Amino acid sequence: MRGMDENEIEHLNRLSRVRALLDVTPDTHITLVGDVMLDKFVTGEADTLATTAPAPALRVVKTNQSPGASAHIAQSLNGFGTKTRFHSAVGDDNAGHLILQILEESGIDTKHILKLNNQSTLVKTRYFASRRGLLDRRQLLLQTDSGGKQPLSDTTYESIVNSSIDDLQGSGALIISDYDNGVISDTVASKLINTANKSGIHTIIDPKLSGLNKAKGADIALFELRGIELIMRRQLLPSLEDTRNHLFNTYGWKAMLVIGGVQGTELYLDNGGHEHHPCRVVEPRQQLGLHDAAATAMAHALVCGATLSDAACLAHAACEVILGAEASREFLSKEVLSNWLDEVMWQFQISNR
């Protein structure tokens, strides 16, 4: 047995530190502000084509529905034992009532989720199909969106800002989860980020590419790799490095976490620092929910006192759990994430004996 060298020992120690974060219950809470929607997943078999068009005929086997978008983060943080103050808005309709009911049954405080009688709740329905007997090899056929996508009233925005700022007192981190569904306006984001910065509170934002101005001044911005590539093409920039420098200079971030799925995760710092975390999932199954998992893990790590580097390491592991999940509707589970890191450490020690 050759044993481990210094770099391998350091990596194993880091994995141990990151794993230990999941056993910590932070003293401070996390303030979460963002859009929420109802996710519906319709799964079935598609062995034939429709008689009237060259399209698959889906025979429905099961249907599931659960709160989505920033509600995934709220559910995951709640499962971590991390106290969370969740601010959002839903329509005063069946979908909105169902979201509130499921969250309350999960033990999540919904008192700061506004019910708006002049708004409808966004319902996102995804249809998955496979051949009979092979439901684990399903494929997304179609996605439909209904409701939502309306800006809120000035009074509603003011209510969200005021209650969120109140909850920033004593908070350890602010997460802004923008799904472009109305809750996060430029003004809401700016006021929250400025208040958090003045109080020395970590700020994490998952911005839409069409609303990058909302992310100005945040500590950490989350992106998919393809999002960075799209910005490069839109801005006619010569390279990904130039694109990252452009984003740092324009929006004043301290860090960017770039989520690449099977290509791994990259942490970029405003001082030029960089870390790459390669994907360790042997059979990736799906990628829905990567951003929410990363935001959850990073915020939990930071309020537990972790460095930005260790927080990114935990966020990467959280993304791997989502990549390997059998069902795209699953939010991040502390137990599954712990088991995954235990497995990663065991495999690392075995392969480096």
Side-chain angles (χ1 to χ4, degrees):
M1 295 186 293
R2 69 172 180 87
M4 290 188 285
D5 61 27
E6 290 184 2
N7 290 333
E8 290 165 341
I9 292 173
E10 181 180 350
H11 181 65
L12 182 61
N13 288 338
R14 184 186 198 187
L15 289 173
S16 298
R17 286 197 311 273
V18 169
R19 168 63 180 83
L21 292 170
L22 297 174
D23 296 325
V24 177
T25 301
D27 295 329
T28 58
H29 66 269
I30 291 173
T31 302
L32 169 63
V33 188
D35 298 300
V36 66
M37 63 188 69
L38 184 66
D39 281 339
K40 297 182 70 174
F41 300 90
V42 181
T43 304
E45 300 167 351
D47 294 318
T48 61
L49 295 177
T51 58
T52 55
L58 180 66
R59 182 177 179 82
V60 176
V61 174
K62 63 179 178 180
T63 300
N64 300 90
Q65 49 193 0
S66 62
S70 57
H72 284 154
I73 301 174
Q75 289 171 300
S76 298
L77 288 171
N78 183 62
F80 277 25
T82 308
K83 291 173 286 189
T84 308
R85 312 285 174 83
F86 185 19
H87 300 260
S88 188
V90 296
D92 190 8
D93 52 19
N94 290 337
H97 296 163
L98 182 57
I99 287 171
L100 296 176
Q101 177 186 336
I102 295 173
L103 291 177
E104 289 167 358
E105 290 174 352
S106 300
I108 295 172
D109 189 348
T110 63
K111 67 182 179 183
H112 294 305
I113 301 179
L114 305 178
K115 287 192 295 183
L116 308 176
N117 57 20
N118 59 342
Q119 300 283 129
S120 60
T121 305
L122 176 61
V123 179
K124 191 177 292 288
T125 306
R126 298 179 179 93
Y127 296 86
F128 293 89
S130 67
R131 299 295 293 271
R132 186 171 301 163
L134 295 173
L135 284 178
D136 60 326
R137 298 183 181 274
R138 63 192 182 183
Q139 181 177 350
L140 178 63
L141 286 185
L142 177 69
Q143 174 180 304
T144 63
D145 292 354
S146 61
K149 297 292 183 181
Q150 302 171 29
L152 311 183
S153 68
D154 290 342
T155 302
T156 301
Y157 281 131
E158 184 178 0
S159 177
I160 291 173
V161 167
N162 290 340
S163 62
S164 300
I165 287 177
D166 285 344
D167 276 343
L168 283 175
Q169 298 182 24
S171 179
L174 166 67
I175 302 175
I176 298 177
S177 178
D178 182 21
Y179 276 78
D180 195 27
N181 194 39
V183 169
I184 306 299
S185 68
D186 286 9
T187 301
V188 168
S190 176
K191 288 184 177 180
L192 293 179
I193 291 172
N194 289 339
T195 302
N197 288 344
K198 290 177 183 178
S199 302
I201 297 170
H202 299 291
T203 53
I204 301 169
I205 187 166
D206 180 8
K208 286 289 185 183
L209 295 185
S210 58
L212 288 177
N213 281 329
K214 299 175 185 177
K216 186 169 289 187
D219 289 339
I220 306 158
L222 307 183
F223 283 99
E224 285 186 23
L225 177 58
R226 62 183 179 180
I228 301 292
E229 294 171 341
L230 182 57
I231 293 171
M232 180 180 70
R233 292 193 293 271
R234 285 178 176 174
Q235 298 292 328
L236 301 178
L237 295 166
S239 69
L240 290 175
E241 181 180 0
D242 288 302
T243 305
R244 291 189 294 269
N245 291 335
H246 164 74
L247 290 170
F248 275 124
N249 293 334
T250 303
Y251 300 105
W253 302 323
K254 296 179 182 176
M256 291 171 52
L257 189 72
V258 180
I259 301 166
V262 296
Q263 299 181 56
T265 305
E266 311 276 352
L267 174 67
Y268 295 96
L269 304 178
D270 60 351
N271 63 7
H274 168 244
E275 290 182 7
H276 171 67
H277 299 269
C279 181
R280 297 164 293 204
V281 180
V282 177
E283 295 184 6
R285 296 173 181 265
Q286 60 92 35
Q287 60 182 4
L288 296 175
L290 289 177
H291 286 227
D292 298 333
T296 297
M298 181 158 275
H300 173 80
L302 290 174
V303 298
C304 289
T307 64
L308 189 55
S309 178
D310 282 357
C313 185
L314 185 63
H316 173 66
C319 288
E320 291 178 318
V321 167
I322 297 299
L323 284 170
E326 295 184 0
S328 55
R329 65 185 174 277
E330 290 183 359
F331 52 88
L332 187 63
S333 162
K334 177 181 179 179
E335 180 181 4
V336 173
L337 181 54
S338 300
N339 291 340
W340 171 251
L341 283 169
D342 289 339
E343 176 69 17
V344 167
M345 286 190 290
W346 183 81
Q347 291 287 354
F348 184 79
Q349 293 177 80
I350 292 298
S351 62
N352 289 283
R353 278 183 172 180

